[in-house]
Amino acid sequence: MTDTAATPVPPAADANFTPPSLGRRFGALIIDWVLCLMVARAFSDPVRDGWPPVLVLILEYGFFIGLFAQTPGMYLTRLRCVAWADGGRIGLLRGLLRGLLLALVVPALLMDEHRRGLHDRLAGSVVTDAPRR
């Protein structure tokens, strides 16, 4: 006999899914952006050249979300980004796609009732609360 209470329900199948607040999501993005500026500063001048921090952000999202379901900013704000359909990790390619689309900004502003921006819908992802440890 399996314990269904211990099995997490994927966000797409959870009728009670409540997305995290936009404030927490924005806070995570600000933390990640500051980290990207610091990393980009190691090999460029982010004030003069605008593309290095954006490239670092795309790579950060691809790596951290793809492999760990959280960026450093998401970890600090207790968020995670998982696959909409099954609640698992989205992988490197979808993480990179999500980061690239997020860097375009406009897709993030077009949200549905689950606060999934166009970047989330195209990557098949959703931002959720991170489980308590």
Side-chain angles (χ1 to χ4, degrees):
M1 180 186 252
T2 59
D3 181 13
T4 57
T7 306
V9 178
D14 186 357
N16 297 319
F17 173 72
T18 304
S21 72
L22 290 176
R24 284 177 50 209
R25 290 181 70 163
F26 188 68
L29 181 62
I30 294 297
I31 292 167
D32 289 332
W33 184 247
V34 169
L35 291 172
C36 290
L37 288 171
M38 291 170 37
V39 170
R41 181 76 176 131
F43 60 89
S44 71
D45 180 4
V47 174
R48 189 188 70 228
D49 301 320
W51 66 267
V54 175
L55 179 62
V56 172
L57 182 77
I58 294 167
L59 295 174
E60 175 199 15
Y61 269 67
F63 179 76
F64 283 104
I65 288 179
L67 296 179
F68 306 108
Q70 291 179 303
T71 63
M74 288 178 164
Y75 177 80
L76 292 173
T77 57
R78 301 195 41 213
L79 298 172
R80 64 185 181 145
C81 181
V82 297
W84 173 248
D86 65 10
R89 291 188 179 100
I90 64 173
L92 290 172
L93 289 178
R94 287 173 37 197
L96 283 170
L97 173 64
R98 188 180 185 279
L100 177 64
L101 293 171
L102 182 64
L104 296 175
V105 179
V106 174
L109 300 176
L110 305 172
M111 294 189 171
D112 65 13
E113 68 276 6
H114 300 291
R115 291 197 187 115
R116 293 176 68 215
L118 187 56
H119 63 299
D120 280 317
R121 285 179 276 167
L122 291 173
S125 63
V126 65
V127 176
T128 67
D129 292 313
R132 295 192 182 269
R133 296 182 189 239

